[in-house]
Amino acid sequence: MAYLEFLAEFGSRFLDGSLITVAQFLLSAALAIAIALGFGLLKLARHWVVRGVATLYIELFRGTSLLVQLYWIFFVLPLFGLTLEKFTAGFLAVGMNLGAYGAELVRGAVRSVPKGQWEAAYALSMSPARRMWRIILPQALVIMLPGWGNLLIELLKATALVSLISVTDLMFEAKQVNSTTFLSIQAFGTALVIYYVFARFLLTPAMRRLELSMARRIGKA
Amino acid sequence: MDTLTAYPLKLDGTDVPMVRFMNVTKKYGALTVLENLNLDIAEGEMVSIIGPSGSGKTTVLRMLMLEQINSGVIYVDGRPLTHMNKNGALVPADRRYLRTAREPIGMCFQHFNLFPHMTALQNCMEGPVQVLGLTKREARERSEELLELVGMSEKRDQHPSRLSGGQQQRVAIARALAMRPKVMLFDEVTSALDPEVIGEVTNVIRKLVSEHSLTMLMVTHQMGFARDISDRICFFFGGRIEEQGTPDELFGNPKRERTQQFLSAVKSAD
Ligand SMILES: Nc1ncnc2c1ncn2[C@@H]1O[C@H](COP(=O)(O)OP(=O)(O)OP(=O)(O)O)[C@@H](O)[C@H]1O
Ligand SMILES: [Mg+2]
């Protein structure tokens, strides 16, 4: 019963860490979605300068490592006078990074809405903004949801990096427990299982359900 | 390039056509699809466009609704559609002008293009609410009336995926009519349909012709239908109007050889 004792002693720390991880996940996911939508649409803009700005952002954040970005935001920005709390720096870095991947998802999905839909909306004289919001995006959403399911799992896993700037998330707590007890198998095993349960039994079914209900709304299921 | 000063800022006089193409040329890249098209369509007139594949029939409609033109001017209801008046001179229309100038035109497509995430009724209400600024209630009343007209009242709460092709096309016609267009464009609205449901769509168009004073421009491969309901038939060939006339003239006594060839080819295919 050694593991039960281990849990009895350190369970609350894993719980605290998990809550921080959930908070990091929710905040960075919200940010990633907003950024993905913004830059994904900018990437489709008519003006090349606007498109260029979006491309630059996406290339920069996809082309460099998340860990380096995290360190930049936490250690380098203060040198330019912008000091962020570690918790904030953590979800900002994760959200901005995964948002760049999300932007490609948004762009691809919007572009794959059939041309006839754009034309039908135009034939009703809808303004470009209305057309995007009322006609194209709802259909693009259905197309990109499976991609978002994967991306959000990546995002959850990526939040573990924030432990490296001492955000007290699940990974951080596991490392702490490990270094005080040297019970590596128990410490990292527990973290492993918790991440897996989050991803596999919470996130995946939630996304499935969302996909289904969206598909039903569009009449495809 | 011809100079725009040759074109009137506005069509005045007693018989201003509902639609006027003046020397309109349309190119896709290096390919000239329509050359120097001149075509008038009177108010309330039903004009059918026939011709071989690739002759530019669809392009005629798309210039009114979706595409820009390379030269010439198109007028709708006396006002330039493709150009705007800037300090007393015509200049090519910008996107915003084009979009509002096209408001009096409605279009139905070969593949219906209903919005899949909306019910039949919502499809019809979308334009009136979002573009014309009607209240939901007004839009609903108008849409229900039109769905009744096309015989789709019972299915108004269904999504397009639950409707047959013929039913979808009838909803699409109602959706276009809900914008109260002055001109309706039909691009082969029956060619994606199973033979047994073509009638339900053509009957709706017949009804529009007999009961409403809409101006209509229809591209079709159904010669019998075109002959029945049109005031005039335009036969397109190679991006030009090869021959035009009343249905009896064109079908009964075609003058040009290409028209004769085309008509006998489609007859033998039937
Ligand atoms: N978007 C486009 N880009 C390039 N070429 C085009 C485009 N649309 C049409 N064309 C070309 O323009 C010509 C006329 O096309 P259009 O669609 O008007 O023919 P159509 O008479 O409607 O033929 P169909 O009976 O097959 O529908 C064709 O040669 C076609 O390949
Ligand atoms: Mg065509």
Side-chain angles (χ1 to χ4, degrees), chain B residues 221 223-224 227 250-254 259-270:
Chain B
H221 285 302
M223 299 304 150
R227 184 171 190 165
L250 199 112
F251 288 111
N253 185 20
T259 321
Q260 294 159 2
Q261 281 168 356
F262 175 76
L263 290 176
S264 64
V266 291
K267 200 171 291 162
S268 63
D270 269 352

Side-chain angles (χ1 to χ4, degrees), chain A residues 46 115-117 119-128 130 134-135 138-139 217-221, chain B residues 62 65-66 95 98-99 102-103 105 109 113-118 126 130-131 159 161-162 175 179:
Chain A
R46 228 184 314 272
K115 199 162 141 254
Q117 293 293 313
E119 294 185 345
Y122 185 86
L124 294 177
S125 296
M126 295 178 90
S127 67
R130 282 233 164 82
R134 304 266 323 161
I135 308 299
Q139 297 182 57
R217 270 193 55 201
I218 212 167
K220 277 195 180 140
Chain B
R62 290 181 64 90
M65 196 44 134
L66 300 161
R95 285 169 200 281
L98 263 178
R99 177 159 50 81
R102 280 165 168 165
E103 249 176 59
I105 307 174
F109 303 86
N113 300 350
L114 288 179
F115 305 133
H117 55 303
M118 298 181 186
E126 185 66 11
Q130 297 295 327
V131 178
H159 280 78
S161 58
R162 294 286 161 87
R175 176 177 71 178
M179 297 295 284

Side-chain angles (χ1 to χ4, degrees), chain B residues 6-105:
Chain B
Y7 297 94
L9 294 171
K10 193 162 163 274
L11 302 183
D12 288 313
T14 45
D15 44 26
V16 173
M18 183 52 86
V19 178
R20 168 169 286 177
F21 292 85
M22 279 180 90
N23 306 320
V24 172
T25 296
K26 172 69 189 168
K27 299 176 185 174
Y28 286 113
L31 177 72
T32 301
V33 180
L34 289 169
E35 193 151 23
N36 264 320
L37 177 69
N38 285 289
L39 178 63
D40 277 5
I41 298 158
E43 184 170 359
E45 196 179 14
M46 168 58 149
V47 175
S48 288
I49 298 178
I50 62 171
S53 182
S55 57
K57 307 181 299 292
T58 294
T59 307
V60 174
L61 303 192
R62 290 181 64 90
M63 286 187 307
L64 284 169
M65 196 44 134
L66 300 161
E67 306 272 356
Q68 271 153 341
I69 62 177
N70 297 89
S71 62
V73 180
I74 301 175
Y75 296 87
V76 171
D77 206 10
R79 288 202 315 147
L81 173 83
T82 50
H83 293 74
M84 49 192 194
N85 181 341
K86 195 174 189 181
N87 309 323
L90 284 184
V91 296
D94 60 25
R95 285 169 200 281
R96 180 184 291 259
Y97 178 90
L98 263 178
R99 177 159 50 81
T100 46
R102 280 165 168 165
E103 249 176 59
I105 307 174

Side-chain angles (χ1 to χ4, degrees), chain B residues 57-58 187-188 219:
Chain B
K57 307 181 299 292
T58 294
D187 188 11
E188 298 197 31
V219 173

